[in-house]
Amino acid sequence: MLIPRQARAGYLHPVASEITPRAAYEQRREFLRLLAAGGAGAALAGWAQRDALAQAPRAGKLAALPGARSGVAGASTVEKQTAYADATSYNNFYEFGTGKEDPARNAGKLQTRPWTVAIEGEVKKPQTLGIEDLLKLAPMEERIYRLRCVEGWSMVIPWVGYSLAELIKRVEPTGNAKFIEFVTLADPKQMPFVGSRVLEWPYVEGLRLDEALHPLTLLAFGMYGEVLPNQNGAPVRLVVPWKYGFKSAKSLVKIRFVEQQPKTAWFKAASHEYGFYSNVNPKVDHPRWSQATERRIGEDGIFQKKRPTQMFNGYEAQVGQLYAGLDLAKNF
């Protein structure tokens, strides 16, 4: 199906009204109204039957959060999706431990309600939004993205959320805003490994403003048609599909617009290993891991060949122009 678009700032931007059916948006608003009124339980059964909205089947573990099929270019790979059980039990979330199974084991105490995110710094309209306000800020879309970890493994995950640009345009960045700093929760009462010497806390990540405005950059509230599990960054996280996974900060509490390039958590820990950009690049190896190939989680047979890593994780057509003229070996 040909989807009409409008050209702006060098990208192809879909028109929101053309990518999200009005009925889907209004039904989701009704769900949120019921949620606020405490009547969501009766509504969930009805929502569970509306599988026409979402492409991925629900796991049936958490509250439903469906999203309409996205019209953003590159937003829905047709590759086989990673099993929900794998995507929720093989995680890097060092606030809950450094083992892959630790986040699922230790994230149960994380309280995601109430939850607020402060938007501050170089913006004309700084504000603090509750999670319910963020959920209602724009229509939910399902985006099926490849996720590539710098450690050499990958997944395919159906996320639910909307472009971060939807939030950015509402707070009106000033002319001084060149970068955005993302700050995550660091509460040792809920996160047993906050305070460990692995990283400086809180976890901080960053993007250039133009990277943050790209329509593929997602503010995610769910996955597999449901709200995010705690171990995957509940209640709201970033997903930047052309960058290594650690750039997609989880459990956000602050989004700060700044003039200077942020000093991110991994850059502070080992700047020679974790560059600010961290775009997926098969030609630039990490000192400890080759980036030429990757292991898709769920394809772990002894004879299973690794997959060749794709430049920008396969999103080069959509984001390559962001880095025109930039030496990606120096700016890794």
Side-chain angles (χ1 to χ4, degrees), residues 130-204:
I131 189 63
E132 290 78 12
D133 297 323
L134 285 166
L135 283 164
K136 293 183 289 187
L137 191 139
M140 290 288 166
E141 297 179 8
E142 185 172 75
R143 309 274 187 92
I144 305 175
Y145 286 166
R146 287 177 288 273
L147 171 69
R148 174 64 157 77
C149 180
V150 72
E151 297 167 350
W153 53 266
S154 64
M155 297 185 183
V156 175
I157 296 177
W159 302 102
V160 181
Y162 50 76
S163 294
L164 176 63
E166 296 287 343
L167 173 62
I168 293 174
K169 67 185 182 184
R170 281 167 170 75
V171 298
E172 299 183 15
T174 72
N176 292 328
K178 303 296 190 300
F179 297 88
I180 304 182
E181 187 177 75
F182 302 91
V183 183
T184 74
L185 183 69
D187 182 357
K189 295 180 181 178
Q190 303 182 66
M191 301 170 144
F193 280 75
V194 166
S196 69
R197 299 175 65 182
V198 178
L199 292 171
E200 183 176 309
W201 310 103
Y203 190 92
V204 173

Coordinates of all heavy atoms in Angstrom, one line a residue, residues 130-204:
G130 N 3.4 12.9 34.2 CA 3.2 11.6 34.8 C 3.1 10.6 33.7 O 2.8 10.9 32.5
I131 N 3.2 9.3 34.0 CA 3.2 8.3 33.0 C 1.9 8.2 32.3 O 1.8 7.9 31.1 CB 3.6 6.9 33.6 CG1 3.8 5.9 32.6 CG2 2.6 6.5 34.7 CD1 4.9 6.1 31.6
E132 N 0.8 8.6 33.0 CA -0.5 8.5 32.3 C -0.6 9.6 31.3 O -1.2 9.4 30.2 CB -1.6 8.7 33.4 CG -1.8 7.5 34.3 CD -0.8 7.5 35.4 OE1 -0.1 8.5 35.6 OE2 -0.7 6.4 36.1
D133 N 0.0 10.8 31.5 CA 0.0 11.9 30.5 C 0.9 11.4 29.3 O 0.5 11.7 28.2 CB 0.6 13.1 31.2 CG -0.3 13.7 32.3 OD1 -1.5 13.6 32.1 OD2 0.3 14.2 33.3
L134 N 2.0 10.8 29.6 CA 2.9 10.4 28.5 C 2.2 9.3 27.6 O 2.3 9.3 26.4 CB 4.2 9.8 29.1 CG 5.2 10.8 29.6 CD1 6.3 10.2 30.4 CD2 5.8 11.6 28.4
L135 N 1.4 8.4 28.3 CA 0.7 7.4 27.5 C -0.3 8.0 26.5 O -0.6 7.5 25.5 CB 0.0 6.4 28.4 CG 0.9 5.4 29.1 CD1 0.2 4.8 30.3 CD2 1.3 4.3 28.1
K136 N -0.9 9.2 26.9 CA -1.9 9.8 26.1 C -1.4 10.8 25.1 O -2.1 11.4 24.4 CB -2.9 10.5 27.1 CG -3.7 9.5 27.9 CD -4.8 10.2 28.7 CE -4.1 11.0 29.9 NZ -5.2 11.6 30.8
L137 N -0.1 11.1 25.2 CA 0.5 12.2 24.4 C 0.4 12.0 22.9 O 0.3 13.0 22.1 CB 2.0 12.4 24.8 CG 2.7 13.6 24.3 CD1 3.5 14.2 25.4 CD2 3.5 13.3 23.1
A138 N 0.4 10.8 22.4 CA 0.4 10.5 21.0 C -0.2 9.1 20.8 O -0.1 8.2 21.7 CB 1.7 10.6 20.3
P139 N -0.7 8.8 19.6 CA -1.2 7.4 19.3 C -0.1 6.4 19.4 O 1.0 6.6 18.9 CB -1.8 7.5 17.9 CG -2.0 9.0 17.7 CD -1.0 9.7 18.5
M140 N -0.4 5.2 20.0 CA 0.5 4.2 20.1 C 0.7 3.4 18.7 O -0.3 3.2 18.0 CB 0.1 3.1 21.1 CG 0.2 3.7 22.5 SD 1.9 3.8 23.1 CE 1.6 4.8 24.6
E141 N 1.9 3.1 18.4 CA 2.3 2.4 17.2 C 3.0 1.1 17.6 O 3.8 1.1 18.6 CB 3.1 3.2 16.2 CG 2.4 4.4 15.7 CD 3.4 5.2 14.8 OE1 4.4 4.7 14.4 OE2 3.0 6.3 14.4
E142 N 2.9 0.1 16.8 CA 3.8 -1.1 17.0 C 4.9 -0.9 16.0 O 4.7 -0.8 14.8 CB 3.0 -2.4 16.7 CG 3.9 -3.6 17.0 CD 3.2 -4.9 17.0 OE1 2.8 -5.3 15.9 OE2 2.9 -5.5 18.0
R143 N 6.2 -1.0 16.5 CA 7.4 -1.0 15.7 C 8.2 -2.3 15.9 O 8.6 -2.6 17.0 CB 8.3 0.2 16.1 CG 7.5 1.6 16.2 CD 7.5 2.2 14.8 NE 7.0 3.6 15.0 CZ 7.7 4.7 15.2 NH1 9.0 4.6 15.3 NH2 7.2 5.9 15.2
I144 N 8.4 -3.0 14.8 CA 9.1 -4.3 15.0 C 10.6 -4.0 14.5 O 10.9 -3.9 13.3 CB 8.5 -5.4 14.1 CG1 7.0 -5.5 14.5 CG2 9.2 -6.7 14.3 CD1 6.2 -6.5 13.7
Y145 N 11.4 -3.8 15.5 CA 12.8 -3.4 15.3 C 13.8 -4.6 15.6 O 13.6 -5.4 16.5 CB 13.2 -2.3 16.3 CG 12.6 -0.9 16.0 CD1 12.7 0.1 17.0 CD2 12.1 -0.6 14.8 CE1 12.2 1.3 16.7 CE2 11.6 0.7 14.5 CZ 11.6 1.6 15.5 OH 11.2 2.9 15.3
R146 N 14.9 -4.6 14.8 CA 16.0 -5.4 15.2 C 16.7 -4.7 16.4 O 16.8 -3.4 16.4 CB 17.0 -5.5 14.0 CG 16.6 -6.4 12.9 CD 17.6 -6.4 11.8 NE 17.6 -5.1 11.1 CZ 16.7 -4.9 10.1 NH1 15.9 -5.8 9.7 NH2 16.7 -3.7 9.5
L147 N 17.2 -5.4 17.4 CA 17.9 -4.9 18.5 C 19.3 -5.6 18.5 O 19.4 -6.8 18.5 CB 17.2 -5.3 19.8 CG 18.0 -5.0 21.1 CD1 18.2 -3.5 21.3 CD2 17.3 -5.6 22.3
R148 N 20.4 -4.8 18.5 CA 21.7 -5.4 18.3 C 22.5 -4.9 19.5 O 22.7 -3.7 19.8 CB 22.4 -4.9 17.0 CG 23.8 -5.2 16.8 CD 24.0 -6.7 16.7 NE 25.2 -7.1 16.0 CZ 26.5 -7.0 16.5 NH1 26.6 -6.7 17.8 NH2 27.5 -7.4 15.8
C149 N 23.1 -5.9 20.3 CA 23.9 -5.6 21.4 C 25.4 -5.6 21.0 O 25.8 -6.3 20.1 CB 23.7 -6.7 22.5 SG 24.7 -6.4 24.0
V150 N 26.1 -4.7 21.6 CA 27.6 -4.6 21.3 C 28.3 -5.9 21.7 O 29.4 -6.2 21.1 CB 28.2 -3.4 22.1 CG1 28.3 -3.7 23.6 CG2 29.5 -3.0 21.5
E151 N 27.7 -6.7 22.5 CA 28.3 -8.0 22.8 C 28.2 -9.1 21.7 O 28.7 -10.2 21.9 CB 27.6 -8.6 24.1 CG 27.9 -7.7 25.3 CD 27.0 -8.0 26.5 OE1 26.1 -8.9 26.3 OE2 27.2 -7.5 27.6
G152 N 27.5 -8.7 20.7 CA 27.4 -9.6 19.5 C 26.2 -10.5 19.4 O 26.1 -11.4 18.6
W153 N 25.1 -10.2 20.2 CA 23.9 -10.9 20.0 C 22.8 -9.9 19.6 O 22.9 -8.7 19.7 CB 23.5 -11.6 21.3 CG 23.4 -10.8 22.6 CD1 24.4 -10.7 23.5 CD2 22.3 -10.1 23.1 NE1 24.0 -9.9 24.5 CE2 22.7 -9.5 24.3 CE3 21.0 -9.8 22.6 CZ2 21.9 -8.6 25.0 CZ3 20.2 -9.0 23.4 CH2 20.6 -8.4 24.6
S154 N 21.7 -10.5 19.1 CA 20.6 -9.7 18.6 C 19.3 -10.3 18.8 O 19.2 -11.5 19.1 CB 20.8 -9.4 17.1 OG 20.7 -10.6 16.3
M155 N 18.2 -9.5 18.7 CA 16.8 -9.9 18.8 C 16.0 -9.2 17.8 O 16.5 -8.2 17.2 CB 16.3 -9.7 20.2 CG 17.0 -10.4 21.4 SD 16.1 -10.1 23.0 CE 17.2 -11.0 24.1
V156 N 14.8 -9.6 17.7 CA 13.8 -8.8 16.9 C 12.6 -8.7 17.8 O 12.0 -9.7 18.3 CB 13.3 -9.6 15.6 CG1 12.2 -8.8 14.9 CG2 14.5 -9.7 14.7
I157 N 12.2 -7.4 18.2 CA 11.2 -7.2 19.2 C 10.1 -6.3 18.7 O 10.4 -5.2 18.1 CB 11.9 -6.6 20.4 CG1 12.9 -7.5 21.1 CG2 10.8 -6.1 21.5 CD1 13.6 -7.0 22.2
P158 N 8.9 -6.6 18.9 CA 7.8 -5.7 18.6 C 7.5 -4.7 19.7 O 6.9 -5.1 20.7 CB 6.6 -6.7 18.3 CG 6.9 -7.8 19.2 CD 8.4 -7.9 19.3
W159 N 8.0 -3.5 19.6 CA 7.8 -2.5 20.6 C 6.5 -1.8 20.4 O 5.9 -1.8 19.3 CB 8.9 -1.5 20.6 CG 10.3 -2.0 20.7 CD1 11.2 -2.2 19.7 CD2 10.9 -2.4 21.9 NE1 12.4 -2.7 20.2 CE2 12.2 -2.9 21.6 CE3 10.6 -2.4 23.3 CZ2 13.1 -3.3 22.5 CZ3 11.5 -2.9 24.2 CH2 12.7 -3.3 23.9
V160 N 6.0 -1.1 21.4 CA 4.8 -0.3 21.4 C 5.1 1.1 21.9 O 5.6 1.2 23.1 CB 3.6 -0.9 22.1 CG1 2.4 0.0 22.0 CG2 3.3 -2.3 21.6
G161 N 4.9 2.1 21.2 CA 5.2 3.5 21.6 C 4.9 4.5 20.5 O 4.2 4.2 19.6
Y162 N 5.6 5.6 20.6 CA 5.5 6.6 19.5 C 6.9 7.3 19.4 O 7.7 7.2 20.2 CB 4.4 7.6 19.8 CG 4.4 8.2 21.2 CD1 5.3 9.2 21.5 CD2 3.5 7.8 22.1 CE1 5.2 9.8 22.8 CE2 3.4 8.4 23.4 CZ 4.3 9.4 23.7 OH 4.3 10.0 25.0
S163 N 7.0 8.0 18.2 CA 8.3 8.7 18.0 C 8.6 9.7 19.1 O 7.7 10.5 19.5 CB 8.3 9.4 16.6 OG 8.2 8.5 15.6
L164 N 9.9 9.7 19.5 CA 10.3 10.7 20.6 C 10.0 12.1 20.1 O 9.8 13.0 20.9 CB 11.8 10.4 20.9 CG 12.4 11.4 21.8 CD1 11.8 11.3 23.2 CD2 13.9 11.2 21.9
A165 N 10.0 12.3 18.8 CA 9.8 13.6 18.2 C 8.5 14.2 18.6 O 8.3 15.4 18.7 CB 9.9 13.6 16.7
E166 N 7.5 13.3 18.9 CA 6.2 13.8 19.3 C 6.3 14.6 20.7 O 5.6 15.6 20.9 CB 5.2 12.6 19.5 CG 4.9 11.9 18.2 CD 4.0 12.7 17.3 OE1 3.3 13.7 17.8 OE2 3.9 12.4 16.1
L167 N 7.1 14.1 21.5 CA 7.4 14.7 22.8 C 8.2 16.0 22.6 O 7.9 17.0 23.2 CB 8.0 13.8 23.8 CG 8.5 14.4 25.2 CD1 7.3 14.9 25.9 CD2 9.2 13.3 26.0
I168 N 9.3 15.9 21.8 CA 10.2 17.0 21.6 C 9.5 18.2 21.1 O 9.7 19.3 21.6 CB 11.3 16.6 20.7 CG1 12.2 15.5 21.4 CG2 12.2 17.8 20.3 CD1 13.3 14.9 20.4
K169 N 8.6 18.0 20.2 CA 8.0 19.2 19.6 C 7.0 19.9 20.5 O 6.8 21.1 20.4 CB 7.2 18.8 18.3 CG 6.0 17.9 18.5 CD 5.4 17.5 17.1 CE 4.2 16.7 17.3 NZ 3.7 16.2 15.9
R170 N 6.6 19.2 21.6 CA 5.7 19.8 22.5 C 6.4 20.7 23.5 O 5.8 21.6 24.1 CB 4.9 18.7 23.2 CG 3.7 18.2 22.4 CD 3.1 17.0 23.0 NE 1.9 16.6 22.4 CZ 1.8 16.0 21.2 NH1 2.9 15.8 20.5 NH2 0.6 15.7 20.6
V171 N 7.7 20.4 23.8 CA 8.4 21.2 24.7 C 9.2 22.3 24.1 O 9.8 23.2 24.8 CB 9.3 20.3 25.6 CG1 8.5 19.3 26.4 CG2 10.4 19.6 24.8
E172 N 9.3 22.4 22.8 CA 9.9 23.4 22.0 C 11.4 23.7 22.4 O 11.6 24.7 23.1 CB 9.1 24.7 22.1 CG 7.7 24.5 21.6 CD 6.8 25.8 21.6 OE1 7.4 26.9 21.8 OE2 5.6 25.7 21.5
P173 N 12.3 22.9 21.9 CA 13.7 23.2 22.2 C 14.2 24.5 21.8 O 13.7 25.1 20.7 CB 14.4 22.1 21.4 CG 13.4 21.0 21.1 CD 12.1 21.7 21.1
T174 N 15.1 25.2 22.5 CA 15.6 26.5 22.1 C 16.7 26.3 21.1 O 17.1 25.1 20.9 CB 16.2 27.2 23.4 OG1 17.4 26.5 23.8 CG2 15.2 27.2 24.5
G175 N 17.2 27.3 20.6 CA 18.3 27.3 19.6 C 19.6 26.7 20.3 O 20.5 26.3 19.5
N176 N 19.7 26.7 21.6 CA 20.9 26.2 22.2 C 20.9 24.7 22.4 O 21.9 24.0 22.8 CB 21.1 26.8 23.6 CG 21.4 28.3 23.6 OD1 22.0 28.7 22.6 ND2 20.9 29.0 24.5
A177 N 19.8 24.0 22.2 CA 19.6 22.6 22.4 C 20.3 21.8 21.2 O 19.8 21.8 20.1 CB 18.2 22.2 22.5
K178 N 21.4 21.2 21.5 CA 22.2 20.5 20.4 C 22.1 19.0 20.7 O 22.3 18.2 19.8 CB 23.6 20.9 20.4 CG 23.8 22.4 20.1 CD 23.3 22.8 18.8 CE 23.7 24.3 18.4 NZ 23.2 25.3 19.4
F179 N 22.0 18.6 22.0 CA 21.9 17.2 22.4 C 20.8 17.0 23.4 O 20.3 18.0 24.0 CB 23.3 16.8 23.1 CG 24.5 17.0 22.2 CD1 25.2 18.2 22.1 CD2 24.9 15.9 21.5 CE1 26.3 18.3 21.2 CE2 26.0 16.0 20.6 CZ 26.7 17.2 20.5
I180 N 20.5 15.7 23.6 CA 19.5 15.4 24.7 C 20.2 14.3 25.6 O 20.8 13.4 25.1 CB 18.2 14.8 24.1 CG1 17.6 15.8 23.2 CG2 17.3 14.5 25.3 CD1 16.2 15.4 22.6
E181 N 20.1 14.6 26.9 CA 20.6 13.6 27.9 C 19.4 12.9 28.5 O 18.4 13.5 28.9 CB 21.3 14.5 28.9 CG 22.1 13.7 30.0 CD 22.8 14.7 30.9 OE1 22.1 15.3 31.7 OE2 24.0 14.9 30.7
F182 N 19.6 11.6 28.6 CA 18.5 10.7 29.1 C 19.0 10.2 30.4 O 20.0 9.5 30.5 CB 18.1 9.6 28.2 CG 17.7 10.1 26.8 CD1 18.6 10.3 25.8 CD2 16.3 10.4 26.6 CE1 18.2 10.8 24.6 CE2 15.9 10.9 25.4 CZ 16.8 11.1 24.3
V183 N 18.3 10.4 31.5 CA 18.7 10.0 32.8 C 17.7 8.9 33.3 O 16.5 9.1 33.2 CB 18.7 11.2 33.8 CG1 19.2 10.7 35.2 CG2 19.6 12.3 33.3
T184 N 18.2 7.8 33.9 CA 17.3 6.8 34.3 C 17.2 6.7 35.8 O 18.0 7.3 36.5 CB 17.8 5.4 33.7 OG1 18.9 5.0 34.5 CG2 18.1 5.5 32.3
L185 N 16.2 6.0 36.3 CA 16.1 5.8 37.8 C 17.3 5.2 38.4 O 17.9 4.2 37.8 CB 14.8 5.0 38.0 CG 14.5 4.8 39.5 CD1 14.0 6.1 40.1 CD2 13.4 3.7 39.7
A186 N 17.7 5.6 39.6 CA 18.8 5.0 40.3 C 18.4 5.0 41.8 O 18.7 5.8 42.6 CB 20.1 5.8 40.1
D187 N 17.6 4.0 42.2 CA 17.0 3.9 43.5 C 17.5 2.6 44.1 O 17.0 1.5 43.8 CB 15.5 4.0 43.5 CG 14.9 3.9 44.9 OD1 15.7 3.7 45.9 OD2 13.7 4.0 45.0
P188 N 18.5 2.6 45.0 CA 19.0 1.4 45.6 C 18.0 0.6 46.4 O 18.2 -0.6 46.5 CB 20.2 1.9 46.5 CG 19.9 3.3 46.8 CD 19.1 3.8 45.6
K189 N 16.9 1.2 46.8 CA 15.9 0.4 47.5 C 15.1 -0.5 46.6 O 14.6 -1.5 47.0 CB 14.9 1.4 48.2 CG 15.5 2.3 49.3 CD 14.5 3.2 49.9 CE 15.1 4.1 51.0 NZ 14.1 5.0 51.5
Q190 N 15.0 -0.1 45.3 CA 14.3 -0.9 44.3 C 15.3 -1.6 43.3 O 14.9 -2.6 42.7 CB 13.4 -0.1 43.5 CG 12.4 0.7 44.3 CD 11.5 1.5 43.3 OE1 10.7 1.0 42.6 NE2 11.6 2.8 43.4
M191 N 16.5 -1.1 43.3 CA 17.5 -1.6 42.3 C 18.7 -2.1 43.0 O 19.6 -1.3 43.3 CB 17.8 -0.5 41.3 CG 16.6 0.0 40.5 SD 16.9 1.5 39.5 CE 15.9 1.2 38.1
P192 N 18.8 -3.3 43.3 CA 19.9 -3.8 44.3 C 21.3 -3.6 43.8 O 22.2 -3.6 44.7 CB 19.6 -5.3 44.4 CG 18.7 -5.7 43.2 CD 18.0 -4.4 42.9
F193 N 21.6 -3.4 42.5 CA 22.9 -3.2 42.1 C 23.3 -1.7 41.8 O 24.4 -1.5 41.4 CB 23.2 -4.1 40.8 CG 23.4 -5.5 41.2 CD1 22.4 -6.3 41.5 CD2 24.7 -6.0 41.2 CE1 22.6 -7.7 41.9 CE2 25.0 -7.4 41.5 CZ 23.9 -8.2 41.9
V194 N 22.4 -0.8 42.1 CA 22.8 0.6 42.1 C 23.7 0.8 43.2 O 23.4 0.5 44.4 CB 21.5 1.5 42.2 CG1 21.9 2.9 42.5 CG2 20.7 1.5 40.9
G195 N 24.8 1.4 43.0 CA 25.9 1.5 44.0 C 27.1 0.6 43.7 O 28.1 0.8 44.3
S196 N 26.9 -0.3 42.8 CA 28.0 -1.2 42.4 C 29.0 -0.3 41.6 O 28.6 0.8 41.1 CB 27.5 -2.3 41.6 OG 27.1 -1.9 40.3
R197 N 30.2 -0.8 41.5 CA 31.3 0.0 40.9 C 31.4 -0.2 39.4 O 32.3 0.3 38.8 CB 32.6 -0.3 41.6 CG 32.6 0.1 43.1 CD 33.8 -0.4 43.8 NE 35.0 0.4 43.3 CZ 36.2 0.2 43.8 NH1 36.5 -0.7 44.7 NH2 37.2 0.9 43.3
V198 N 30.4 -0.9 38.9 CA 30.5 -1.2 37.4 C 30.3 0.1 36.6 O 31.1 0.4 35.6 CB 29.3 -2.1 37.0 CG1 29.3 -2.4 35.5 CG2 29.5 -3.4 37.8
L199 N 29.4 1.0 37.0 CA 29.1 2.2 36.3 C 28.9 3.4 37.4 O 28.7 3.1 38.6 CB 27.9 2.1 35.5 CG 27.9 1.2 34.3 CD1 26.6 1.0 33.7 CD2 28.9 1.7 33.2
E200 N 29.0 4.6 36.9 CA 28.6 5.7 37.7 C 27.1 5.9 37.6 O 26.5 5.9 36.5 CB 29.3 7.0 37.2 CG 29.0 8.2 38.0 CD 29.9 9.4 37.6 OE1 31.1 9.3 37.4 OE2 29.3 10.5 37.3
W201 N 26.4 6.0 38.7 CA 24.9 6.1 38.7 C 24.5 7.6 39.0 O 25.2 8.3 39.6 CB 24.4 5.2 39.8 CG 24.9 3.8 39.7 CD1 25.9 3.3 40.5 CD2 24.6 2.8 38.7 NE1 26.1 2.0 40.1 CE2 25.4 1.7 39.0 CE3 23.7 2.8 37.7 CZ2 25.3 0.5 38.3 CZ3 23.6 1.6 36.9 CH2 24.4 0.5 37.2
P202 N 23.4 8.0 38.4 CA 22.4 7.2 37.6 C 23.0 7.0 36.2 O 23.9 7.7 35.8 CB 21.2 8.1 37.6 CG 21.7 9.5 37.7 CD 22.9 9.4 38.6
Y203 N 22.4 6.0 35.5 CA 22.8 5.7 34.2 C 22.3 6.9 33.3 O 21.2 7.3 33.4 CB 22.0 4.4 33.7 CG 22.5 3.8 32.4 CD1 23.5 2.9 32.4 CD2 21.9 4.3 31.2 CE1 23.9 2.3 31.2 CE2 22.4 3.7 30.0 CZ 23.4 2.8 30.0 OH 23.8 2.2 28.8
V204 N 23.2 7.3 32.5 CA 23.0 8.5 31.6 C 23.3 8.1 30.2 O 24.4 7.5 29.9 CB 23.8 9.7 32.0 CG1 23.6 10.8 31.0 CG2 23.3 10.2 33.4

